[in-house]
Amino acid sequence: MLFSLLLALSAEATTTTGESRACINNHVSESYQAGWRVRNVSAFEVTQDNNRYMLLDLVGEVEYRFISCGDDRAKSLRIVVYDDMGRLVDSTGPDDDGVEGRQAEMTFKPPSTGSYFVGVRLISAHEVPEELAKKRVIRGLNARATPEVQSPSAGIGLGILYR
């Protein structure tokens, strides 16, 4: 029974991030052929009110490339880099026409060796129809289930490369 539950949960996580994982894998493959080396590739579900960050130790003399892809629910996303004191070091932004898309790339050379937080922010996502946005939350065995409206979300892939 427990195995079946774990299998169902892992299958659900895979289906919600499958498109973004495929996109990021394609970009990483292209970058690898261009001389970049893979450090980390992951995909996760992100809501507009819950960004995702990774704590990475980066070397000052090394050039890094951060690539992110959102699935078809994402309208725009941004890659951000903070130092270990929480100060913004760098971020992607709108292109020359002021448009942010569902893919972002950044080449980054740390000012010094140290720990950095590399994050993906879901700036905007397509609204989920209300009937699909409600989920049931059960608090304890005797509690009533109450509907809770979820924030718009999207599957996001993040690739971290270096050279």
Side-chain angles (χ1 to χ4, degrees):
M1 169 100 163
L2 180 59
F3 179 72
S4 299
L5 178 61
L6 291 174
L7 187 59
L9 290 174
S10 64
E12 182 180 332
T14 303
T15 58
T16 61
T17 60
E19 182 183 344
S20 57
R21 182 172 289 282
C23 175
I24 201 65
N25 286 344
N26 288 337
H27 284 285
V28 166
S29 177
E30 291 169 6
S31 297
Y32 189 78
Q33 292 173 5
W36 291 90
R37 298 294 172 245
V38 179
R39 174 160 176 184
N40 192 359
V41 176
S42 59
F44 32 79
E45 189 77 11
V46 177
T47 61
Q48 283 184 207
D49 55 359
N50 186 16
N51 304 314
R52 184 63 81 123
Y53 296 92
M54 289 183 187
L55 177 60
L56 301 172
D57 291 326
L58 303 179
V59 178
E61 299 81 35
V62 175
E63 186 177 28
Y64 296 89
R65 185 170 188 204
F66 309 130
I67 307 168
S68 188
C69 291
D71 64 16
D72 64 350
R73 296 172 290 163
K75 286 184 184 176
S76 64
L77 55 91
R78 180 176 295 154
I79 298 173
V80 293
V81 180
Y82 291 92
D83 65 14
D84 60 350
M85 300 298 290
R87 294 178 294 237
L88 182 65
V89 178
D90 203 353
S91 72
T92 60
D95 65 15
D96 294 337
D97 296 323
V99 175
E100 290 181 293
R102 57 184 221 173
Q103 295 183 16
E105 289 186 29
M106 171 193 292
T107 302
F108 178 73
K109 192 167 186 179
S112 62
T113 298
S115 296
Y116 294 85
F117 293 93
V118 177
V120 177
R121 289 188 177 166
L122 181 60
I123 303 301
S124 64
H126 296 283
E127 291 293 325
V128 179
E130 188 174 332
E131 62 275 3
L132 297 177
K134 292 183 180 179
K135 69 176 186 177
R136 306 295 276 176
V137 177
I138 300 174
R139 297 187 181 114
L141 294 175
N142 296 325
R144 288 187 167 174
T146 56
E148 179 181 286
V149 177
Q150 294 177 318
S151 297
S153 65
I156 304 289
L158 176 63
I160 300 169
L161 303 104
Y162 68 94
R163 69 170 168 192

PDB file of all heavy atoms in Angstrom, residues 3-29:
ATOM      1  N   PHE A   3       3.961   1.496  -0.929  1.00  0.00           N
ATOM      2  CA  PHE A   3       4.662   1.546  -2.209  1.00  0.00           C
ATOM      3  C   PHE A   3       3.778   2.139  -3.300  1.00  0.00           C
ATOM      4  O   PHE A   3       4.229   2.958  -4.090  1.00  0.00           O
ATOM      5  CB  PHE A   3       5.137   0.147  -2.598  1.00  0.00           C
ATOM      6  CG  PHE A   3       5.845   0.113  -3.915  1.00  0.00           C
ATOM      7  CD1 PHE A   3       7.120   0.648  -4.046  1.00  0.00           C
ATOM      8  CD2 PHE A   3       5.232  -0.413  -5.037  1.00  0.00           C
ATOM      9  CE1 PHE A   3       7.770   0.637  -5.269  1.00  0.00           C
ATOM     10  CE2 PHE A   3       5.871  -0.431  -6.261  1.00  0.00           C
ATOM     11  CZ  PHE A   3       7.152   0.097  -6.369  1.00  0.00           C
ATOM     12  N   SER A   4       2.509   1.748  -3.337  1.00  0.00           N
ATOM     13  CA  SER A   4       1.566   2.278  -4.327  1.00  0.00           C
ATOM     14  C   SER A   4       1.379   3.777  -4.174  1.00  0.00           C
ATOM     15  O   SER A   4       1.319   4.511  -5.163  1.00  0.00           O
ATOM     16  CB  SER A   4       0.212   1.587  -4.198  1.00  0.00           C
ATOM     17  OG  SER A   4       0.340   0.223  -4.436  1.00  0.00           O
ATOM     18  N   LEU A   5       1.299   4.254  -2.926  1.00  0.00           N
ATOM     19  CA  LEU A   5       1.156   5.685  -2.667  1.00  0.00           C
ATOM     20  C   LEU A   5       2.382   6.443  -3.143  1.00  0.00           C
ATOM     21  O   LEU A   5       2.271   7.478  -3.802  1.00  0.00           O
ATOM     22  CB  LEU A   5       0.908   5.934  -1.179  1.00  0.00           C
ATOM     23  CG  LEU A   5       0.796   7.392  -0.751  1.00  0.00           C
ATOM     24  CD1 LEU A   5      -0.382   8.068  -1.444  1.00  0.00           C
ATOM     25  CD2 LEU A   5       0.649   7.497   0.747  1.00  0.00           C
ATOM     26  N   LEU A   6       3.577   5.932  -2.827  1.00  0.00           N
ATOM     27  CA  LEU A   6       4.805   6.585  -3.268  1.00  0.00           C
ATOM     28  C   LEU A   6       4.908   6.600  -4.785  1.00  0.00           C
ATOM     29  O   LEU A   6       5.316   7.591  -5.380  1.00  0.00           O
ATOM     30  CB  LEU A   6       6.022   5.894  -2.659  1.00  0.00           C
ATOM     31  CG  LEU A   6       6.194   6.061  -1.163  1.00  0.00           C
ATOM     32  CD1 LEU A   6       7.352   5.208  -0.661  1.00  0.00           C
ATOM     33  CD2 LEU A   6       6.417   7.510  -0.802  1.00  0.00           C
ATOM     34  N   LEU A   7       4.524   5.512  -5.414  1.00  0.00           N
ATOM     35  CA  LEU A   7       4.547   5.452  -6.864  1.00  0.00           C
ATOM     36  C   LEU A   7       3.590   6.470  -7.477  1.00  0.00           C
ATOM     37  O   LEU A   7       3.924   7.170  -8.422  1.00  0.00           O
ATOM     38  CB  LEU A   7       4.195   4.035  -7.325  1.00  0.00           C
ATOM     39  CG  LEU A   7       4.326   3.743  -8.811  1.00  0.00           C
ATOM     40  CD1 LEU A   7       5.755   3.993  -9.265  1.00  0.00           C
ATOM     41  CD2 LEU A   7       3.911   2.322  -9.102  1.00  0.00           C
ATOM     42  N   ALA A   8       2.406   6.598  -6.908  1.00  0.00           N
ATOM     43  CA  ALA A   8       1.421   7.569  -7.406  1.00  0.00           C
ATOM     44  C   ALA A   8       1.922   8.993  -7.220  1.00  0.00           C
ATOM     45  O   ALA A   8       1.781   9.829  -8.118  1.00  0.00           O
ATOM     46  CB  ALA A   8       0.098   7.380  -6.687  1.00  0.00           C
ATOM     47  N   LEU A   9       2.528   9.292  -6.080  1.00  0.00           N
ATOM     48  CA  LEU A   9       3.032  10.645  -5.834  1.00  0.00           C
ATOM     49  C   LEU A   9       4.179  10.982  -6.774  1.00  0.00           C
ATOM     50  O   LEU A   9       4.264  12.087  -7.301  1.00  0.00           O
ATOM     51  CB  LEU A   9       3.471  10.797  -4.382  1.00  0.00           C
ATOM     52  CG  LEU A   9       2.359  10.808  -3.350  1.00  0.00           C
ATOM     53  CD1 LEU A   9       2.954  10.825  -1.945  1.00  0.00           C
ATOM     54  CD2 LEU A   9       1.445  11.993  -3.549  1.00  0.00           C
ATOM     55  N   SER A  10       5.090  10.038  -7.001  1.00  0.00           N
ATOM     56  CA  SER A  10       6.205  10.315  -7.903  1.00  0.00           C
ATOM     57  C   SER A  10       5.719  10.470  -9.335  1.00  0.00           C
ATOM     58  O   SER A  10       6.231  11.271 -10.091  1.00  0.00           O
ATOM     59  CB  SER A  10       7.276   9.230  -7.799  1.00  0.00           C
ATOM     60  OG  SER A  10       6.768   7.996  -8.232  1.00  0.00           O
ATOM     61  N   ALA A  11       4.708   9.705  -9.741  1.00  0.00           N
ATOM     62  CA  ALA A  11       4.153   9.841 -11.087  1.00  0.00           C
ATOM     63  C   ALA A  11       3.497  11.201 -11.260  1.00  0.00           C
ATOM     64  O   ALA A  11       3.641  11.839 -12.292  1.00  0.00           O
ATOM     65  CB  ALA A  11       3.137   8.731 -11.349  1.00  0.00           C
ATOM     66  N   GLU A  12       2.784  11.684 -10.214  1.00  0.00           N
ATOM     67  CA  GLU A  12       2.151  13.001 -10.290  1.00  0.00           C
ATOM     68  C   GLU A  12       3.201  14.093 -10.405  1.00  0.00           C
ATOM     69  O   GLU A  12       3.072  15.005 -11.206  1.00  0.00           O
ATOM     70  CB  GLU A  12       1.298  13.241  -9.045  1.00  0.00           C
ATOM     71  CG  GLU A  12       0.585  14.567  -9.074  1.00  0.00           C
ATOM     72  CD  GLU A  12      -0.257  14.794  -7.825  1.00  0.00           C
ATOM     73  OE1 GLU A  12      -0.712  13.817  -7.227  1.00  0.00           O
ATOM     74  OE2 GLU A  12      -0.441  15.968  -7.471  1.00  0.00           O
ATOM     75  N   ALA A  13       4.280  14.004  -9.629  1.00  0.00           N
ATOM     76  CA  ALA A  13       5.340  15.011  -9.696  1.00  0.00           C
ATOM     77  C   ALA A  13       5.984  15.017 -11.074  1.00  0.00           C
ATOM     78  O   ALA A  13       6.309  16.060 -11.616  1.00  0.00           O
ATOM     79  CB  ALA A  13       6.392  14.746  -8.623  1.00  0.00           C
ATOM     80  N   THR A  14       6.164  13.849 -11.675  1.00  0.00           N
ATOM     81  CA  THR A  14       6.763  13.759 -12.998  1.00  0.00           C
ATOM     82  C   THR A  14       5.860  14.387 -14.050  1.00  0.00           C
ATOM     83  O   THR A  14       6.331  15.091 -14.924  1.00  0.00           O
ATOM     84  CB  THR A  14       7.035  12.282 -13.356  1.00  0.00           C
ATOM     85  OG1 THR A  14       7.868  11.729 -12.336  1.00  0.00           O
ATOM     86  CG2 THR A  14       7.713  12.152 -14.686  1.00  0.00           C
ATOM     87  N   THR A  15       4.560  14.150 -13.966  1.00  0.00           N
ATOM     88  CA  THR A  15       3.673  14.698 -14.985  1.00  0.00           C
ATOM     89  C   THR A  15       3.538  16.204 -14.874  1.00  0.00           C
ATOM     90  O   THR A  15       3.347  16.877 -15.873  1.00  0.00           O
ATOM     91  CB  THR A  15       2.272  14.055 -14.920  1.00  0.00           C
ATOM     92  OG1 THR A  15       1.733  14.272 -13.631  1.00  0.00           O
ATOM     93  CG2 THR A  15       2.330  12.577 -15.217  1.00  0.00           C
ATOM     94  N   THR A  16       3.644  16.773 -13.692  1.00  0.00           N
ATOM     95  CA  THR A  16       3.498  18.222 -13.567  1.00  0.00           C
ATOM     96  C   THR A  16       4.755  18.957 -14.004  1.00  0.00           C
ATOM     97  O   THR A  16       4.687  20.134 -14.323  1.00  0.00           O
ATOM     98  CB  THR A  16       3.146  18.644 -12.120  1.00  0.00           C
ATOM     99  OG1 THR A  16       4.199  18.247 -11.246  1.00  0.00           O
ATOM    100  CG2 THR A  16       1.830  18.052 -11.678  1.00  0.00           C
ATOM    101  N   THR A  17       5.902  18.297 -14.028  1.00  0.00           N
ATOM    102  CA  THR A  17       7.138  18.964 -14.420  1.00  0.00           C
ATOM    103  C   THR A  17       7.744  18.381 -15.696  1.00  0.00           C
ATOM    104  O   THR A  17       8.822  18.779 -16.101  1.00  0.00           O
ATOM    105  CB  THR A  17       8.177  18.890 -13.287  1.00  0.00           C
ATOM    106  OG1 THR A  17       8.443  17.516 -12.995  1.00  0.00           O
ATOM    107  CG2 THR A  17       7.707  19.613 -12.052  1.00  0.00           C
ATOM    108  N   GLY A  18       7.062  17.444 -16.339  1.00  0.00           N
ATOM    109  CA  GLY A  18       7.609  16.758 -17.506  1.00  0.00           C
ATOM    110  C   GLY A  18       7.983  17.679 -18.650  1.00  0.00           C
ATOM    111  O   GLY A  18       9.056  17.553 -19.243  1.00  0.00           O
ATOM    112  N   GLU A  19       7.114  18.630 -18.986  1.00  0.00           N
ATOM    113  CA  GLU A  19       7.385  19.546 -20.089  1.00  0.00           C
ATOM    114  C   GLU A  19       8.585  20.436 -19.792  1.00  0.00           C
ATOM    115  O   GLU A  19       9.453  20.638 -20.647  1.00  0.00           O
ATOM    116  CB  GLU A  19       6.148  20.409 -20.352  1.00  0.00           C
ATOM    117  CG  GLU A  19       6.316  21.367 -21.512  1.00  0.00           C
ATOM    118  CD  GLU A  19       5.102  22.263 -21.714  1.00  0.00           C
ATOM    119  OE1 GLU A  19       4.024  21.979 -21.178  1.00  0.00           O
ATOM    120  OE2 GLU A  19       5.255  23.271 -22.432  1.00  0.00           O
ATOM    121  N   SER A  20       8.663  20.962 -18.565  1.00  0.00           N
ATOM    122  CA  SER A  20       9.783  21.834 -18.213  1.00  0.00           C
ATOM    123  C   SER A  20      11.083  21.037 -18.133  1.00  0.00           C
ATOM    124  O   SER A  20      12.145  21.533 -18.514  1.00  0.00           O
ATOM    125  CB  SER A  20       9.508  22.575 -16.901  1.00  0.00           C
ATOM    126  OG  SER A  20       9.242  21.667 -15.854  1.00  0.00           O
ATOM    127  N   ARG A  21      11.011  19.793 -17.652  1.00  0.00           N
ATOM    128  CA  ARG A  21      12.211  18.947 -17.593  1.00  0.00           C
ATOM    129  C   ARG A  21      12.717  18.634 -19.003  1.00  0.00           C
ATOM    130  O   ARG A  21      13.924  18.685 -19.255  1.00  0.00           O
ATOM    131  CB  ARG A  21      11.942  17.657 -16.835  1.00  0.00           C
ATOM    132  CG  ARG A  21      13.200  16.777 -16.726  1.00  0.00           C
ATOM    133  CD  ARG A  21      13.007  15.603 -15.820  1.00  0.00           C
ATOM    134  NE  ARG A  21      12.919  15.938 -14.433  1.00  0.00           N
ATOM    135  CZ  ARG A  21      13.942  16.235 -13.633  1.00  0.00           C
ATOM    136  NH1 ARG A  21      15.160  16.291 -14.132  1.00  0.00           N
ATOM    137  NH2 ARG A  21      13.760  16.487 -12.370  1.00  0.00           N
ATOM    138  N   ALA A  22      11.830  18.333 -19.927  1.00  0.00           N
ATOM    139  CA  ALA A  22      12.237  18.060 -21.314  1.00  0.00           C
ATOM    140  C   ALA A  22      12.887  19.294 -21.933  1.00  0.00           C
ATOM    141  O   ALA A  22      13.920  19.189 -22.607  1.00  0.00           O
ATOM    142  CB  ALA A  22      11.029  17.620 -22.130  1.00  0.00           C
ATOM    143  N   CYS A  23      12.318  20.457 -21.696  1.00  0.00           N
ATOM    144  CA  CYS A  23      12.861  21.710 -22.227  1.00  0.00           C
ATOM    145  C   CYS A  23      14.267  21.961 -21.677  1.00  0.00           C
ATOM    146  O   CYS A  23      15.192  22.263 -22.424  1.00  0.00           O
ATOM    147  CB  CYS A  23      11.928  22.871 -21.878  1.00  0.00           C
ATOM    148  SG  CYS A  23      12.558  24.493 -22.369  1.00  0.00           S
ATOM    149  N   ILE A  24      14.416  21.825 -20.368  1.00  0.00           N
ATOM    150  CA  ILE A  24      15.723  22.104 -19.759  1.00  0.00           C
ATOM    151  C   ILE A  24      16.754  21.078 -20.214  1.00  0.00           C
ATOM    152  O   ILE A  24      17.922  21.418 -20.457  1.00  0.00           O
ATOM    153  CB  ILE A  24      15.629  22.222 -18.215  1.00  0.00           C
ATOM    154  CG1 ILE A  24      16.820  23.008 -17.665  1.00  0.00           C
ATOM    155  CG2 ILE A  24      15.536  20.910 -17.524  1.00  0.00           C
ATOM    156  CD1 ILE A  24      16.865  24.427 -18.103  1.00  0.00           C
ATOM    157  N   ASN A  25      16.347  19.822 -20.365  1.00  0.00           N
ATOM    158  CA  ASN A  25      17.281  18.796 -20.846  1.00  0.00           C
ATOM    159  C   ASN A  25      17.783  19.120 -22.248  1.00  0.00           C
ATOM    160  O   ASN A  25      18.965  18.923 -22.551  1.00  0.00           O
ATOM    161  CB  ASN A  25      16.629  17.417 -20.814  1.00  0.00           C
ATOM    162  CG  ASN A  25      16.505  16.870 -19.416  1.00  0.00           C
ATOM    163  OD1 ASN A  25      17.138  17.352 -18.477  1.00  0.00           O
ATOM    164  ND2 ASN A  25      15.678  15.857 -19.255  1.00  0.00           N
ATOM    165  N   ASN A  26      16.907  19.641 -23.117  1.00  0.00           N
ATOM    166  CA  ASN A  26      17.328  20.037 -24.471  1.00  0.00           C
ATOM    167  C   ASN A  26      18.340  21.169 -24.418  1.00  0.00           C
ATOM    168  O   ASN A  26      19.352  21.140 -25.123  1.00  0.00           O
ATOM    169  CB  ASN A  26      16.124  20.453 -25.312  1.00  0.00           C
ATOM    170  CG  ASN A  26      15.267  19.279 -25.720  1.00  0.00           C
ATOM    171  OD1 ASN A  26      15.724  18.142 -25.764  1.00  0.00           O
ATOM    172  ND2 ASN A  26      13.995  19.546 -25.997  1.00  0.00           N
ATOM    173  N   HIS A  27      18.073  22.187 -23.590  1.00  0.00           N
ATOM    174  CA  HIS A  27      19.007  23.317 -23.472  1.00  0.00           C
ATOM    175  C   HIS A  27      20.345  22.874 -22.881  1.00  0.00           C
ATOM    176  O   HIS A  27      21.403  23.335 -23.323  1.00  0.00           O
ATOM    177  CB  HIS A  27      18.401  24.431 -22.618  1.00  0.00           C
ATOM    178  CG  HIS A  27      17.371  25.237 -23.333  1.00  0.00           C
ATOM    179  ND1 HIS A  27      17.681  26.167 -24.290  1.00  0.00           N
ATOM    180  CD2 HIS A  27      16.024  25.241 -23.236  1.00  0.00           C
ATOM    181  CE1 HIS A  27      16.574  26.727 -24.754  1.00  0.00           C
ATOM    182  NE2 HIS A  27      15.552  26.170 -24.133  1.00  0.00           N
ATOM    183  N   VAL A  28      20.299  22.004 -21.894  1.00  0.00           N
ATOM    184  CA  VAL A  28      21.536  21.519 -21.274  1.00  0.00           C
ATOM    185  C   VAL A  28      22.348  20.714 -22.288  1.00  0.00           C
ATOM    186  O   VAL A  28      23.566  20.859 -22.379  1.00  0.00           O
ATOM    187  CB  VAL A  28      21.222  20.688 -20.008  1.00  0.00           C
ATOM    188  CG1 VAL A  28      22.429  19.896 -19.551  1.00  0.00           C
ATOM    189  CG2 VAL A  28      20.735  21.614 -18.899  1.00  0.00           C
ATOM    190  N   SER A  29      21.679  19.893 -23.088  1.00  0.00           N
ATOM    191  CA  SER A  29      22.357  19.100 -24.103  1.00  0.00           C
ATOM    192  C   SER A  29      23.056  20.006 -25.123  1.00  0.00           C
ATOM    193  O   SER A  29      24.219  19.778 -25.485  1.00  0.00           O
ATOM    194  CB  SER A  29      21.349  18.193 -24.799  1.00  0.00           C
ATOM    195  OG  SER A  29      21.972  17.462 -25.824  1.00  0.00           O
TER     196      SER A  29
END
